[in-house]
Amino acid sequence: MACTTPDCTGEHGANQISHQVIYRERTYVIHSVPADVCPECGDVRLIEETLFHIESLLKKKGRSKVAVLVYEC
């Protein structure tokens, strides 16, 4: 898919990223998150299914003292 960032001519491609999110006043880093990333400008797109999975992970681990999570399907 073509990147929609102004003046960027790159194409989004499948990749895995580390995603940082604040949930209930805590910061979590989630590794191995599937995303479409533009190699030219670094624009990142997460699909809706991925966002729902991350939300589910946070609800399960929200009370844990661990601040690093790994995205697993």
Side-chain angles (χ1 to χ4, degrees):
M1 172 181 13
C3 184
T4 56
T5 302
D7 299 325
C8 181
T9 59
E11 296 278 329
H12 281 100
N15 207 336
Q16 290 188 349
I17 63 167
S18 292
H19 181 66
Q20 180 178 331
V21 62
I22 298 172
Y23 179 74
R24 294 187 179 174
E25 299 181 10
R26 294 189 61 166
T27 301
Y28 293 89
V29 177
I30 306 169
H31 296 288
S32 302
V33 176
D36 290 332
V37 180
C38 175
E40 297 293 321
C41 69
D43 183 49
V44 175
R45 304 281 170 117
L46 300 176
I47 62 170
E48 189 174 11
E49 181 181 325
T50 300
L51 295 172
F52 288 137
H53 188 75
I54 289 172
E55 185 178 352
S56 173
L57 266 176
L58 291 170
K59 285 181 180 178
K60 289 178 187 174
K61 300 288 186 180
R63 295 183 182 167
S64 171
K65 294 186 181 194
V66 176
V68 177
L69 303 171
V70 177
Y71 185 99
E72 296 176 2
C73 293

Coordinates of all heavy atoms in Angstrom, one line a residue:
M1 N 0.8 -1.2 0.0 CA 0.0 0.0 0.0 C 0.9 1.2 0.0 O 1.9 1.3 0.7 CB -0.9 0.0 1.2 CG -1.7 1.3 1.4 SD -2.8 1.5 2.8 CE -2.4 0.2 4.0
A2 N 0.5 2.2 -0.8 CA 1.3 3.5 -0.9 C 1.2 4.2 0.4 O 0.1 4.3 1.1 CB 0.8 4.3 -2.0
C3 N 2.2 4.9 0.8 CA 2.3 5.7 2.0 C 1.5 7.0 1.8 O 1.5 7.5 0.7 CB 3.7 6.0 2.4 SG 3.9 7.0 3.9
T4 N 0.7 7.4 2.8 CA -0.1 8.6 2.7 C 0.5 9.8 3.3 O -0.1 10.9 3.4 CB -1.5 8.4 3.3 OG1 -1.3 8.0 4.7 CG2 -2.3 7.3 2.6
T5 N 1.8 9.7 3.8 CA 2.5 10.8 4.4 C 2.8 11.8 3.2 O 3.3 11.4 2.2 CB 3.8 10.4 5.1 OG1 3.4 9.4 6.1 CG2 4.5 11.5 5.7
P6 N 2.5 13.1 3.4 CA 2.8 14.1 2.4 C 4.3 14.0 1.9 O 5.2 13.9 2.8 CB 2.5 15.4 3.0 CG 1.5 15.1 4.1 CD 1.9 13.7 4.6
D7 N 4.5 14.0 0.6 CA 5.9 14.1 0.0 C 6.6 12.7 0.2 O 7.8 12.7 -0.1 CB 6.7 15.2 0.5 CG 6.1 16.6 0.2 OD1 5.5 16.7 -0.8 OD2 6.2 17.5 1.1
C8 N 6.0 11.7 0.6 CA 6.7 10.4 0.8 C 6.2 9.5 -0.4 O 5.1 9.4 -0.7 CB 6.3 9.7 2.1 SG 7.2 8.1 2.3
T9 N 7.2 8.8 -1.0 CA 6.9 8.0 -2.2 C 7.1 6.5 -1.8 O 7.0 5.6 -2.7 CB 7.9 8.3 -3.3 OG1 9.2 8.1 -2.9 CG2 7.6 9.7 -3.8
G10 N 7.2 6.2 -0.5 CA 7.4 4.8 -0.1 C 6.2 4.0 -0.1 O 5.1 4.5 -0.3
E11 N 6.4 2.7 0.1 CA 5.3 1.7 0.1 C 5.3 1.0 1.5 O 6.3 0.5 1.9 CB 5.4 0.7 -1.0 CG 5.3 1.2 -2.4 CD 3.9 1.3 -2.8 OE1 3.0 0.6 -2.4 OE2 3.6 2.3 -3.6
H12 N 4.1 0.9 2.2 CA 4.1 0.2 3.4 C 4.3 -1.3 3.2 O 3.8 -1.9 2.2 CB 2.7 0.4 4.1 CG 2.5 1.7 4.8 ND1 1.8 2.7 4.2 CD2 2.9 2.1 6.0 CE1 1.9 3.7 5.1 NE2 2.5 3.4 6.2
G13 N 5.0 -1.9 4.1 CA 5.3 -3.3 4.0 C 5.1 -4.0 5.4 O 5.3 -3.3 6.4
A14 N 4.9 -5.3 5.4 CA 4.7 -6.0 6.7 C 6.0 -6.0 7.5 O 7.1 -6.3 6.9 CB 4.2 -7.4 6.4
N15 N 5.9 -5.8 8.8 CA 7.1 -5.8 9.6 C 6.6 -6.0 11.0 O 5.4 -6.1 11.3 CB 7.8 -4.5 9.5 CG 9.3 -4.6 9.8 OD1 9.7 -5.5 10.5 ND2 10.0 -3.6 9.3
Q16 N 7.5 -6.2 12.0 CA 7.2 -6.3 13.4 C 7.9 -5.1 14.1 O 9.0 -4.8 13.8 CB 7.6 -7.6 14.0 CG 6.8 -8.8 13.5 CD 7.2 -10.0 14.3 OE1 8.2 -10.1 15.0 NE2 6.4 -11.1 14.1
I17 N 7.1 -4.5 15.1 CA 7.7 -3.4 15.8 C 7.5 -3.6 17.3 O 6.8 -4.5 17.8 CB 6.9 -2.1 15.4 CG1 5.4 -2.2 15.8 CG2 7.1 -1.8 13.9 CD1 4.7 -0.9 15.7
S18 N 8.1 -2.7 18.1 CA 7.9 -2.6 19.5 C 7.0 -1.4 19.7 O 7.3 -0.3 19.1 CB 9.2 -2.4 20.3 OG 10.0 -3.6 20.2
H19 N 5.9 -1.6 20.4 CA 4.8 -0.6 20.5 C 4.7 -0.2 21.9 O 4.6 -1.0 22.8 CB 3.5 -1.1 20.0 CG 2.4 -0.2 20.0 ND1 2.3 0.9 19.2 CD2 1.2 -0.2 20.7 CE1 1.2 1.6 19.4 NE2 0.5 0.9 20.3
Q20 N 4.7 1.1 22.2 CA 4.6 1.6 23.6 C 3.2 2.2 23.8 O 2.7 2.9 22.9 CB 5.6 2.8 23.8 CG 5.6 3.4 25.1 CD 6.6 4.5 25.3 OE1 7.7 4.4 24.7 NE2 6.4 5.4 26.1
V21 N 2.6 1.9 24.9 CA 1.3 2.3 25.2 C 1.1 2.6 26.7 O 1.8 2.0 27.5 CB 0.2 1.3 24.7 CG1 0.3 0.0 25.5 CG2 -1.2 1.8 24.9
I22 N 0.4 3.7 27.0 CA 0.1 4.0 28.4 C -1.3 3.5 28.7 O -2.3 3.8 28.0 CB 0.2 5.5 28.6 CG1 1.6 6.0 28.4 CG2 -0.2 5.8 30.1 CD1 1.7 7.5 28.4
Y23 N -1.4 2.6 29.8 CA -2.6 2.0 30.2 C -2.7 2.1 31.7 O -1.8 1.6 32.4 CB -2.7 0.6 29.7 CG -3.9 -0.2 30.0 CD1 -5.1 0.1 29.4 CD2 -3.9 -1.2 31.0 CE1 -6.3 -0.6 29.7 CE2 -5.0 -1.9 31.3 CZ -6.2 -1.6 30.7 OH -7.4 -2.3 31.0
R24 N -3.8 2.7 32.2 CA -4.0 2.8 33.6 C -2.8 3.4 34.3 O -2.3 2.9 35.3 CB -4.4 1.5 34.3 CG -5.7 1.0 33.8 CD -6.1 -0.2 34.5 NE -7.4 -0.7 34.1 CZ -8.0 -1.8 34.5 NH1 -7.4 -2.6 35.3 NH2 -9.2 -2.1 34.0
E25 N -2.3 4.5 33.8 CA -1.2 5.3 34.3 C 0.1 4.5 34.4 O 1.0 4.9 35.1 CB -1.6 5.8 35.7 CG -2.8 6.8 35.7 CD -3.1 7.3 37.0 OE1 -2.3 7.2 38.0 OE2 -4.2 7.9 37.1
R26 N 0.2 3.5 33.6 CA 1.5 2.7 33.5 C 1.9 2.7 32.0 O 1.1 2.6 31.1 CB 1.3 1.3 34.0 CG 1.0 1.3 35.5 CD 1.1 0.0 36.1 NE 2.5 -0.6 35.8 CZ 2.9 -1.6 36.4 NH1 2.2 -2.3 37.3 NH2 4.2 -2.0 36.2
T27 N 3.2 2.7 31.8 CA 3.7 2.6 30.4 C 4.1 1.1 30.1 O 4.9 0.5 30.9 CB 4.9 3.5 30.2 OG1 4.5 4.8 30.5 CG2 5.4 3.4 28.8
Y28 N 3.6 0.6 29.0 CA 4.0 -0.8 28.6 C 4.6 -0.8 27.3 O 4.3 0.1 26.4 CB 2.7 -1.7 28.5 CG 2.0 -1.9 29.8 CD1 1.1 -1.1 30.3 CD2 2.4 -3.0 30.6 CE1 0.4 -1.3 31.5 CE2 1.7 -3.3 31.8 CZ 0.8 -2.4 32.3 OH 0.2 -2.6 33.5
V29 N 5.6 -1.7 27.1 CA 6.2 -1.8 25.8 C 5.9 -3.2 25.3 O 6.1 -4.2 26.0 CB 7.8 -1.7 25.9 CG1 8.4 -2.0 24.5 CG2 8.1 -0.3 26.4
I30 N 5.2 -3.3 24.2 CA 4.8 -4.6 23.6 C 5.7 -4.9 22.4 O 5.7 -4.2 21.4 CB 3.3 -4.6 23.2 CG1 2.5 -4.1 24.4 CG2 2.9 -6.0 22.7 CD1 1.1 -3.8 24.1
H31 N 6.4 -6.0 22.5 CA 7.3 -6.4 21.4 C 6.6 -7.4 20.4 O 5.7 -8.0 20.7 CB 8.6 -7.1 22.0 CG 9.4 -6.2 22.8 ND1 10.1 -5.2 22.3 CD2 9.5 -6.2 24.2 CE1 10.8 -4.6 23.3 NE2 10.4 -5.2 24.5
S32 N 7.2 -7.4 19.2 CA 6.7 -8.3 18.1 C 5.3 -8.0 17.6 O 4.5 -8.9 17.3 CB 6.8 -9.8 18.5 OG 8.2 -10.1 18.9
V33 N 4.9 -6.7 17.6 CA 3.6 -6.3 17.1 C 3.6 -6.2 15.6 O 4.5 -5.5 15.0 CB 3.2 -5.0 17.7 CG1 1.9 -4.5 17.2 CG2 3.2 -5.0 19.2
P34 N 2.7 -7.0 14.9 CA 2.7 -6.9 13.5 C 2.2 -5.5 13.0 O 1.2 -5.0 13.6 CB 1.7 -8.0 13.1 CG 0.9 -8.3 14.3 CD 1.7 -7.9 15.4
A35 N 2.8 -4.9 12.0 CA 2.4 -3.6 11.6 C 2.9 -3.4 10.1 O 3.8 -4.1 9.6 CB 3.1 -2.5 12.4
D36 N 2.2 -2.5 9.4 CA 2.7 -2.1 8.1 C 3.5 -0.8 8.3 O 3.1 0.2 8.9 CB 1.5 -1.8 7.2 CG 0.7 -3.0 6.8 OD1 1.3 -4.1 6.8 OD2 -0.5 -2.9 6.6
V37 N 4.8 -0.9 7.8 CA 5.7 0.2 8.1 C 6.3 0.7 6.7 O 6.6 -0.1 5.9 CB 6.9 -0.3 9.0 CG1 7.9 0.8 9.2 CG2 6.4 -0.8 10.3
C38 N 6.3 2.0 6.6 CA 6.9 2.6 5.4 C 8.4 2.7 5.6 O 8.9 3.4 6.6 CB 6.4 4.0 5.2 SG 7.1 4.9 3.8
P39 N 9.3 2.1 4.8 CA 10.7 2.2 5.0 C 11.3 3.6 4.7 O 12.4 3.9 5.2 CB 11.3 1.1 4.0 CG 10.2 1.1 3.0 CD 8.9 1.3 3.6
E40 N 10.6 4.4 4.0 CA 11.1 5.7 3.6 C 10.9 6.7 4.8 O 11.9 7.4 5.1 CB 10.3 6.3 2.4 CG 10.6 5.4 1.2 CD 12.0 5.5 0.6 OE1 12.6 6.6 0.7 OE2 12.5 4.4 0.2
C41 N 9.7 6.8 5.4 CA 9.5 7.8 6.4 C 9.2 7.3 7.8 O 9.2 8.0 8.7 CB 8.3 8.7 6.0 SG 6.7 7.9 6.0
G42 N 9.0 5.9 7.9 CA 8.8 5.3 9.2 C 7.4 5.3 9.6 O 7.1 4.9 10.8
D43 N 6.4 5.8 8.8 CA 5.0 5.8 9.2 C 4.6 4.3 9.5 O 4.9 3.4 8.8 CB 4.2 6.3 8.0 CG 2.7 6.4 8.3 OD1 2.4 7.0 9.4 OD2 1.9 6.0 7.5
V44 N 3.8 4.2 10.6 CA 3.4 2.9 11.0 C 1.9 2.8 11.0 O 1.2 3.7 11.5 CB 3.9 2.6 12.5 CG1 3.4 1.3 13.0 CG2 5.4 2.6 12.5
R45 N 1.3 1.7 10.5 CA -0.1 1.4 10.5 C -0.4 0.1 11.2 O 0.2 -0.9 10.9 CB -0.7 1.3 9.1 CG -0.4 2.5 8.2 CD -1.4 3.6 8.5 NE -1.0 4.8 7.9 CZ -1.7 5.4 7.0 NH1 -2.8 4.9 6.6 NH2 -1.3 6.6 6.4
L46 N -1.3 0.1 12.2 CA -1.7 -1.1 12.9 C -3.2 -1.4 12.4 O -4.0 -0.4 12.3 CB -1.7 -0.9 14.4 CG -0.4 -0.6 15.0 CD1 -0.6 -0.3 16.5 CD2 0.6 -1.7 14.8
I47 N -3.5 -2.6 12.1 CA -4.8 -3.0 11.7 C -5.7 -3.1 13.0 O -5.2 -3.3 14.1 CB -4.9 -4.2 10.9 CG1 -4.4 -5.5 11.7 CG2 -4.1 -4.1 9.6 CD1 -4.7 -6.8 11.0
E48 N -7.0 -3.0 12.8 CA -8.0 -3.0 13.9 C -7.9 -4.2 14.7 O -7.9 -4.2 16.0 CB -9.4 -2.8 13.3 CG -10.4 -2.5 14.4 CD -11.8 -2.2 13.8 OE1 -12.0 -2.4 12.6 OE2 -12.6 -1.8 14.6
E49 N -7.7 -5.4 14.1 CA -7.6 -6.6 14.8 C -6.4 -6.6 15.8 O -6.5 -7.1 16.9 CB -7.4 -7.8 13.8 CG -7.3 -9.1 14.5 CD -7.2 -10.2 13.4 OE1 -7.7 -10.1 12.3 OE2 -6.4 -11.2 13.7
T50 N -5.3 -6.0 15.3 CA -4.1 -5.9 16.2 C -4.4 -5.1 17.4 O -4.0 -5.4 18.5 CB -2.9 -5.4 15.4 OG1 -2.6 -6.3 14.3 CG2 -1.7 -5.2 16.3
L51 N -5.1 -3.9 17.2 CA -5.4 -3.1 18.3 C -6.3 -3.8 19.3 O -6.1 -3.6 20.5 CB -6.1 -1.8 17.8 CG -5.2 -0.9 16.9 CD1 -6.1 0.2 16.3 CD2 -4.1 -0.3 17.7
F52 N -7.3 -4.6 18.9 CA -8.1 -5.3 19.8 C -7.3 -6.3 20.6 O -7.5 -6.5 21.8 CB -9.3 -6.0 19.0 CG -10.3 -5.1 18.5 CD1 -10.9 -5.3 17.2 CD2 -10.8 -4.1 19.3 CE1 -11.8 -4.4 16.8 CE2 -11.8 -3.2 18.8 CZ -12.3 -3.4 17.5
H53 N -6.3 -7.0 19.9 CA -5.5 -8.0 20.6 C -4.6 -7.3 21.6 O -4.5 -7.8 22.7 CB -4.6 -8.7 19.6 CG -3.9 -9.8 20.1 ND1 -4.5 -11.0 20.5 CD2 -2.6 -10.0 20.5 CE1 -3.6 -11.8 21.0 NE2 -2.4 -11.2 21.0
I54 N -4.1 -6.1 21.3 CA -3.3 -5.3 22.3 C -4.1 -5.0 23.5 O -3.7 -5.1 24.6 CB -2.7 -4.1 21.6 CG1 -1.5 -4.5 20.7 CG2 -2.1 -3.1 22.7 CD1 -1.0 -3.4 19.8
E55 N -5.4 -4.5 23.2 CA -6.3 -4.1 24.3 C -6.6 -5.4 25.2 O -6.6 -5.2 26.5 CB -7.6 -3.6 23.8 CG -8.5 -3.1 24.8 CD -9.8 -2.5 24.2 OE1 -9.9 -2.4 23.0 OE2 -10.7 -2.2 25.0
S56 N -6.7 -6.5 24.6 CA -7.0 -7.7 25.4 C -5.7 -8.1 26.2 O -5.9 -8.5 27.4 CB -7.3 -8.9 24.4 OG -7.3 -10.1 25.1
L57 N -4.5 -8.0 25.7 CA -3.3 -8.2 26.4 C -3.2 -7.3 27.6 O -2.9 -7.7 28.7 CB -2.1 -7.9 25.5 CG -1.4 -9.0 24.8 CD1 -0.3 -8.5 23.9 CD2 -0.9 -10.1 25.7
L58 N -3.5 -6.0 27.4 CA -3.4 -5.1 28.5 C -4.4 -5.3 29.6 O -4.1 -5.2 30.8 CB -3.6 -3.6 28.0 CG -2.5 -3.1 27.1 CD1 -2.9 -1.8 26.4 CD2 -1.2 -3.0 27.9
K59 N -5.6 -5.8 29.3 CA -6.6 -6.1 30.3 C -6.2 -7.3 31.1 O -6.4 -7.3 32.3 CB -8.0 -6.3 29.6 CG -8.6 -5.1 29.2 CD -10.0 -5.3 28.5 CE -10.6 -4.1 28.1 NZ -11.9 -4.3 27.4
K60 N -5.5 -8.2 30.5 CA -5.0 -9.4 31.2 C -3.8 -9.1 32.1 O -3.7 -9.6 33.2 CB -4.7 -10.5 30.2 CG -5.8 -11.2 29.5 CD -5.4 -12.2 28.6 CE -6.5 -12.7 27.7 NZ -6.0 -13.7 26.7
K61 N -2.9 -8.3 31.6 CA -1.7 -8.0 32.2 C -1.7 -6.7 33.0 O -0.6 -6.3 33.6 CB -0.5 -8.0 31.2 CG -0.3 -9.3 30.5 CD 0.3 -10.4 31.4 CE 0.6 -11.6 30.6 NZ 1.1 -12.7 31.4
G62 N -2.8 -6.0 33.0 CA -2.8 -4.6 33.5 C -2.5 -4.6 35.0 O -2.0 -3.5 35.5
R63 N -2.7 -5.6 35.7 CA -2.4 -5.6 37.1 C -1.0 -6.2 37.5 O -0.6 -6.3 38.6 CB -3.4 -6.4 37.9 CG -4.8 -5.7 37.8 CD -5.8 -6.4 38.5 NE -7.1 -5.6 38.3 CZ -8.2 -6.1 38.6 NH1 -8.4 -7.3 39.2 NH2 -9.3 -5.4 38.4
S64 N -0.3 -6.7 36.4 CA 1.0 -7.3 36.6 C 2.0 -6.2 36.8 O 1.9 -5.1 36.4 CB 1.3 -8.1 35.3 OG 2.7 -8.5 35.4
K65 N 3.1 -6.6 37.4 CA 4.2 -5.6 37.6 C 5.2 -5.6 36.4 O 6.1 -4.8 36.4 CB 5.0 -5.9 38.9 CG 4.1 -5.7 40.1 CD 4.9 -5.9 41.4 CE 4.0 -5.7 42.5 NZ 4.6 -5.6 43.8
V66 N 5.0 -6.5 35.5 CA 5.8 -6.5 34.3 C 5.4 -5.4 33.3 O 4.2 -5.2 33.0 CB 5.6 -7.9 33.6 CG1 6.4 -8.0 32.3 CG2 6.1 -9.0 34.5
A67 N 6.3 -4.7 32.8 CA 6.1 -3.6 31.9 C 6.4 -3.9 30.5 O 6.2 -3.1 29.6 CB 6.8 -2.3 32.3
V68 N 6.9 -5.1 30.2 CA 7.2 -5.5 28.8 C 6.3 -6.7 28.5 O 6.3 -7.7 29.2 CB 8.7 -5.9 28.7 CG1 9.0 -6.3 27.3 CG2 9.6 -4.7 29.0
L69 N 5.6 -6.6 27.4 CA 4.7 -7.7 26.9 C 5.2 -8.2 25.5 O 5.8 -7.4 24.8 CB 3.3 -7.2 26.9 CG 2.7 -6.7 28.2 CD1 1.4 -6.1 27.9 CD2 2.6 -7.7 29.2
V70 N 4.9 -9.4 25.2 CA 5.2 -9.9 23.8 C 3.9 -10.2 23.2 O 3.1 -11.0 23.7 CB 6.1 -11.1 23.9 CG1 6.4 -11.7 22.5 CG2 7.5 -10.8 24.6
Y71 N 3.7 -9.7 22.0 CA 2.5 -10.0 21.2 C 2.6 -11.4 20.7 O 3.5 -11.7 19.9 CB 2.5 -9.0 20.0 CG 1.2 -9.0 19.2 CD1 0.2 -8.1 19.4 CD2 1.1 -10.0 18.2 CE1 -0.9 -8.1 18.6 CE2 -0.1 -10.0 17.4 CZ -1.1 -9.1 17.6 OH -2.2 -9.1 16.9
E72 N 1.6 -12.2 21.1 CA 1.6 -13.6 20.6 C 0.1 -13.9 20.2 O -0.8 -13.6 20.9 CB 2.0 -14.6 21.7 CG 3.4 -14.4 22.2 CD 3.8 -15.3 23.3 OE1 2.9 -16.1 23.8 OE2 4.9 -15.2 23.8
C73 N 0.0 -14.5 19.0 CA -1.3 -14.8 18.5 C -1.8 -16.2 19.0 O -1.1 -17.0 19.3 CB -1.3 -14.9 17.0 SG -1.0 -13.3 16.3

